[in-house]
């Protein structure tokens, strides 16, 4: 079983999918650790849990878990469910049956960003602080110069990088050896952050419609410009050879093998879609990438063959989130109309 975009079947027919309609926009989506369940965080405070198998019927919606908007969501790396955050300032741990346990309450603050690491740790942003949940403990890091606008774990899970006004701050999470935070400066607002899968680079999208990348070991940096809009979605390939970015009409990948992208144009491939990409998500193991558009179109690209196929036609509802299942054969998709889409790519 494989994904082969050169196969005429991929060019001529859309893959099987299950779509569930709701009345609230989707802020985030994720699969649980074993890929059996997919979840969507909604603008009405609900977190919808659905079977990943699209042949199974979707259960009825449950009452909202957050008192406002559910803003962020990740698969729980220490359990079989999920962790969610909302504009009510709460972080909740959700069991597979939807039962919720409160991990944090920060009144008046929004939990806009959550990241998880395979070691079992979860990090959340709340205002100017970052909170770490690990081994039953909660630790606070900060304050930062401004609201944390993005965060991510290092490859080994020993550090967390936080984006804010004026650059990024990297925190060591060790309790045995307390190290001061490292600060990487670049003026302006940073609106997204992703640490490379090999641990060597940290990339951010900025308010100035460009991306900024630091080499972690050397603390040197580079800037890539030429975007028509803010780059709010970044995704590294599994081998860290390429960094995918949103805000272009085709797949755009910056090469990071060898000497890196300085002085080189990005690799762009695939058929120009309807509008600009709002979300990109590299495949967890292979050389594929999913890209969602502000028009609602969804494409799957193969950087090896420079091909792309349409997985969903444009429908006017901007795609707001994408998530791959752990095995890489299912894709979760949410949009600003409230459609919860699960696509099965096995053929």
């Amino acid at each position: 079983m494989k994904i082969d975009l050169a196969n005429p079947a991929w060019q001529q027919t859309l893959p099987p999918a299950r779509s569930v309609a709701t009345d609230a926009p989707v802020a985030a989506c994720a699969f649980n650790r074993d890929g059996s369940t997919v979840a969507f965080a909604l603008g009405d405070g609900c977190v919808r849990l659905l079977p990943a198998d699209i042949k199974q019927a979707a259960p009825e919606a449950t009452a909202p878990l957050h008192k406002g908007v559910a803003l962020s969501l990740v698969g729980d790396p220490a359990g079989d469910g999920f962790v969610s955050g909302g504009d009510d300032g709460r972080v909740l741990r959700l069991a597979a049956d939807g039962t919720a346990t409160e991990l944090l309450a920060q009144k008046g603050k929004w939990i806009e960003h959550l990241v998880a690491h395979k070691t079992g740790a979860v990090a959340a942003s709340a205002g100017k602080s970052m909170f770490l949940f690990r081994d039953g403990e909660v630790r606070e890091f900060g304050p930062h110069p401004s609201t944390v606008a993005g965060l991510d774990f290092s490859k080994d899970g020993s550090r967390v990088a936080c984006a804010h006004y004026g650059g990024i701050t990297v925190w060591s999470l060790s309790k045995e050896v307390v190290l001061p935070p490292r600060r990487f400066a670049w003026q302006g607002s940073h609106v997204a952050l992703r640490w490379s899968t090999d641990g060597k680079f940290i990339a951010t999208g900025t308010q100035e419609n460009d991306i900024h990348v630091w080499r972690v070991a050397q603390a040197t940096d580079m800037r890539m410009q030429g975007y028509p809009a803010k780059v709010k979605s970044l995704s590294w390939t599994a081998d860290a050879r390429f960094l995918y970015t949103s805000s272009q009409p085709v797949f755009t990948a910056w090469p990071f093998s060898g000497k890196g992208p300085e002085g080189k144009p990005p690799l762009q491939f695939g058929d120009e879609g309807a509008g600009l990409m709002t979300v990109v998500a590299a495949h967890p193991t292979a050389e594929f990438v999913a890209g969602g558009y502000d028009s609602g179109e969804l494409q799957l690209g193969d950087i090896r063959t420079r091909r792309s196929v349409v997985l969903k036609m444009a429908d006017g509802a901007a795609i707001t989130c994408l998530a791959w299942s752990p095995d890489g054969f299912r894709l979760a998709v949410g949009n600003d109309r409230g459609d919860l889409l699960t696509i099965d790519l096995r053929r």
Side-chain angles (χ1 to χ4, degrees):
M1 187 182 303
K2 65 178 183 178
I3 299 173
D4 181 8
L5 303 194
N7 187 321
W10 284 92
Q11 301 285 339
Q12 298 168 5
T13 59
L14 298 178
R18 179 190 61 215
S19 183
V20 177
T22 73
D23 296 326
V26 185
C29 54
F31 285 87
N32 67 343
R33 188 168 55 171
D34 67 4
S36 62
T37 305
V38 60
F40 299 84
L42 305 180
D44 59 2
C46 290
V47 179
R48 290 289 301 271
L49 273 58
L50 307 174
D53 184 352
I54 64 172
K55 295 179 181 178
Q56 296 186 37
E60 292 295 321
T62 56
L65 296 175
H66 290 277
K67 300 173 183 178
V69 178
L71 295 170
S72 51
L73 182 72
V74 291
D76 186 352
D80 58 1
F82 301 86
V83 178
S84 67
D87 68 356
D88 56 0
R90 296 195 302 155
V91 177
L92 303 178
R93 170 165 275 142
L94 312 179
D97 62 1
T99 304
T101 303
E102 186 177 275
L103 300 180
L104 180 73
Q106 290 285 300
K107 188 176 180 179
K109 298 181 180 179
W110 290 12
I111 312 298
E112 291 190 79
H113 304 282
L114 285 168
V115 287
H117 192 268
K118 61 184 179 182
T119 57
V122 173
S125 67
K128 295 182 179 181
S129 294
M130 181 269 288
F131 289 86
L132 177 72
F133 308 91
R134 185 169 61 181
D135 300 328
E137 295 183 345
V138 182
R139 297 167 61 196
E140 182 176 3
F141 296 79
H144 299 85
S146 68
T147 298
V148 175
L151 70 168
D152 203 4
F153 281 99
S154 61
K155 179 183 178 181
D156 63 0
S158 66
R159 293 165 291 173
V160 168
C162 298
H164 47 73
Y165 187 86
I168 63 176
T169 299
V170 176
W171 297 92
S172 172
L173 306 181
S174 173
K175 294 172 63 178
E176 290 74 27
V177 180
V178 180
L179 299 175
R182 292 182 66 191
R183 304 196 186 277
F184 298 78
W186 184 261
Q187 64 183 2
S189 296
H190 298 257
V191 298
L193 181 148
R194 281 292 175 265
W195 204 315
S196 67
T197 47
D198 63 1
K200 296 180 179 179
F201 301 94
I202 299 175
T204 66
T206 78
Q207 190 77 13
E208 287 72 37
N209 297 0
D210 59 22
I211 60 174
H212 208 83
V213 182
W214 285 269
R215 294 182 179 88
V216 178
Q218 298 86 355
T220 56
D221 60 321
M222 63 194 87
R223 183 185 186 188
M224 283 81 96
Q225 301 172 284
Y227 290 88
K230 297 179 186 66
V231 180
K232 295 184 178 181
S233 181
L234 305 163
S235 186
W236 294 90
T237 55
D239 58 10
R241 290 178 58 212
F242 295 96
L243 171 65
Y244 287 108
T245 62
S246 62
S247 302
Q248 291 283 3
V250 295
F251 287 109
T252 301
W254 293 93
F256 277 81
S257 57
K259 295 182 179 180
E262 289 178 292
K264 302 176 185 177
L267 175 63
Q268 294 186 297
F269 65 94
D271 295 327
E272 187 168 320
L276 295 177
M277 285 191 185
T278 50
V279 191
V280 288
H283 193 276
T285 59
E287 296 176 317
F288 301 106
V289 58
Y293 286 81
D294 53 11
S295 64
E297 183 175 323
L298 175 66
Q299 289 193 20
L300 179 67
D302 183 346
I303 197 168
R304 180 177 52 85
T305 62
R306 312 292 194 267
R307 292 177 179 269
S308 70
V309 298
V310 173
L311 297 181
K312 187 179 82 66
M313 303 299 291
D315 57 8
I319 292 178
T320 54
C321 62
L322 297 170
W324 287 98
S325 61
D327 65 5
F329 282 108
R330 293 188 176 100
L331 183 65
V333 187
N335 63 24
D336 63 5
R337 186 172 54 205
D339 299 324
L340 319 180
L341 189 68
T342 308
I343 300 175
D344 195 329
L345 297 175
R346 294 172 296 181
R347 292 193 176 185

